Amino acid sequence: MKQIGSLLTAGALALSLVTLPAGAAEAAPALEETAQAAAQAALTAGGAQSIQYALWQDGEIILTGHAGNYSRTENRALTDDILYGVGSVSKTYTAAAVLKLVDEGKVELDAPADTLVSCYYVTTYATMALGISDRVVGLEKKADTRPIYAMAAPDLLEKEQVGTMKELDLEAVAALEPDLVVMPKKLMDYAAPLEELGIPVLVVNPESHEALTGMLELLGQACGVEDRAQALTDYYEEQLARVAQLVDGLERPTVYMGGNSSYLTAAPGDMYQSSLIETAGGVNAAADLTGGYWTEVSYESILAMAPQVILIPAGADYTAQDILGDPQLAAVPAVQSGAVYEMPSGIEEWDSPIPSGILGTLWMTSVLHGDAYPFDTFTADVQDFYKTFYGFEIDPALITK
């Protein structure tokens, strides 16, 4: 039995592992109909794609079921084996489910995972931040495109590369015999085959601050570094409180953040990058756009937004000079004042929900409110962060705007 692997698998997928115990009372047809009706109502009210549920009575599960479709892109039926990631609300139920398995002797908490396969750069970054990158035996492809690996954990570049965000080499993963595989939600179809091979899987979806800290906590538990994970999440909360105090009462400039491939795409209000702008004391110029990813805009739209500041993400294919030199943007206030800034590109993607993502908030705060939070202070904070959590001295010349 993979002890800690079973813990994480049970934790991350608790809602899909509920089964009817032997001897439980059979649910009456009317109860089944009522439960299905309630599930359908929940789908409609919450805008969800699928739901799985269980009903308890007198300490026993008397009914389980599900409703909806597998996904928005695959119109196939749900089964009891469908996997769900942990979210903010479900963490409470996940913890309860895990402790119940502990009480039943099916899970032990004293066997941390010694070897990991990380299928996703965000989770590989997490192993560095938690001080466990030496346990990684396999990771995502194109590792050499991530500058932070060479700086903080060069041994990662020698590890087996097992997949991308679109596909995973199951045979390569199985050959590594890891104690745990950590994968993004986009790869979750590979989780069941790995479980059938006896390889525990943790499915994560760190697309928000809350989901990121939840992932760090789970990975910390899996690898026996809970204190390290707690220190990192505490740092996050402390810095968020610090930023809130720094920008309190200050004028909030209108900020336009371009996408990675083109500055004619912007971060809509529901995107993670929008939350960074707001937290850093700005107003997202594209907040009224819909969608959860970079959204195309026209020159006319940017002129109408009239941003006072333009920000360029770390992974952009263009530069500040491209924007400043575009004659169709000459009337934009940010261009006229030269307030076009590039997030550092030679470290990590600070505008993404990664363990160092708090530095993206701090960078924006310094750019938008330099009088309250000078860039020299920010640079010192970055150096301290990487020394404390990644264990290396970062070159201050890489910290730019």
Side-chain angles (χ1 to χ4, degrees):
M1 176 176 62
K2 302 268 188 174
Q3 294 171 327
I4 196 66
S6 297
L7 164 64
L8 264 295
T9 301
L13 313 173
L15 294 182
S16 64
L17 297 180
V18 177
T19 56
L20 189 64
E26 294 187 4
L31 182 57
E32 294 181 13
E33 293 176 5
T34 301
Q36 268 294 312
Q40 291 292 344
L43 288 175
T44 301
Q49 188 67 23
S50 64
I51 187 171
Q52 298 216 38
Y53 57 85
L55 301 181
W56 279 261
Q57 180 176 314
D58 298 328
E60 291 187 329
I61 299 171
I62 63 170
L63 176 68
T64 62
H66 40 67
N69 297 322
Y70 176 76
S71 73
R72 299 186 189 279
T73 57
E74 296 183 56
N75 187 24
R76 59 187 173 96
L78 292 174
T79 69
D80 290 338
D81 296 326
I82 296 299
L83 308 180
Y84 289 81
V86 176
S88 298
V89 175
S90 61
K91 283 190 286 188
T92 301
Y93 300 98
T94 297
V98 171
L99 293 177
K100 181 175 177 60
L101 292 175
V102 172
D103 290 339
E104 294 173 356
K106 297 177 181 178
V107 169
E108 296 179 26
L109 302 180
D110 57 353
D114 290 325
T115 56
L116 308 171
V117 167
S118 171
C119 308
Y120 185 28
Y121 78 94
V122 173
T123 54
T124 306
Y125 285 0
T127 67
M128 293 188 292
L130 296 176
I132 53 173
S133 63
D134 58 336
R135 304 187 197 184
V136 175
V137 294
L139 73 167
E140 77 283 353
K141 290 184 178 180
K142 298 185 178 181
D144 59 346
T145 66
R146 309 289 179 185
I148 193 67
Y149 293 170
M151 289 186 279
D155 289 348
L156 288 175
L157 299 174
E158 306 301 321
K159 303 300 181 181
E160 183 84 11
Q161 297 186 14
V162 297
T164 68
M165 285 289 285
K166 296 181 178 179
E167 59 183 2
L168 184 66
D169 188 337
L170 290 174
E171 291 185 3
V173 173
L176 294 172
E177 299 183 342
D179 291 335
L180 180 66
V181 173
V182 189
M183 66 172 58
K185 185 179 179 181
K186 289 184 178 180
L187 292 177
M188 66 186 298
D189 285 348
Y190 292 95
L194 288 171
E195 286 287 345
E196 291 174 1
L197 296 173
I199 301 174
V201 177
L202 172 61
V203 179
V204 300
N205 188 37
E207 293 298 326
S208 67
H209 166 69
E210 293 78 12
L212 173 65
T213 56
M215 179 197 75
L216 292 171
E217 290 169 358
L218 283 172
L219 194 55
Q221 293 168 14
C223 298
V225 289
E226 295 93 337
D227 290 348
R228 182 93 174 208
Q230 188 64 55
L232 184 54
T233 56
D234 285 349
Y235 179 88
Y236 254 79
E237 299 306 324
E238 290 166 3
Q239 295 306 315
L240 288 173
R242 175 190 180 196
V243 169
Q245 186 174 21
L246 285 171
V247 304
D248 184 38
L250 299 181
E251 182 178 351
R252 302 170 70 88
T254 302
V255 180
Y256 178 91
M257 188 166 196
N260 289 316
S261 61
S262 169
Y263 52 80
L264 292 180
T265 60
D270 289 339
M271 200 171 176
Y272 175 78
Q273 284 77 0
S274 180
S275 67
L276 296 188
I277 294 171
E278 299 292 336
T279 302
V283 176
N284 182 11
D288 291 338
L289 297 179
T290 59
Y293 199 65
W294 301 112
T295 301
E296 290 187 5
V297 297
S298 64
Y299 281 110
E300 292 76 12
S301 295
I302 298 177
L303 290 169
M305 292 176 187
Q308 298 165 277
V309 179
I310 295 178
L311 303 180
I312 301 174
D317 296 331
Y318 55 91
T319 68
Q321 287 306 312
D322 293 327
I323 294 176
L324 292 169
D326 190 330
Q328 296 191 71
L329 296 177
V332 173
V335 173
Q336 293 180 334
S337 66
V340 180
Y341 303 97
E342 299 178 42
M343 189 170 282
S345 59
I347 310 172
E348 295 182 90
E349 303 84 349
W350 288 343
D351 61 303
S352 301
I354 58 177
S356 63
I358 187 63
L359 298 180
T361 300
L362 295 176
W363 180 85
M364 288 189 188
T365 304
S366 182
V367 167
L368 301 181
H369 302 288
D371 290 341
Y373 183 43
F375 201 77
D376 287 346
T377 303
F378 166 70
T379 299
D381 287 339
V382 173
Q383 292 176 295
D384 179 68
F385 175 89
Y386 281 112
K387 180 64 174 178
T388 300
F389 294 106
Y390 285 60
F392 79 102
E393 299 279 356
I394 192 166
D395 182 355
L398 296 173
I399 307 169
T400 60
K401 60 175 180 177

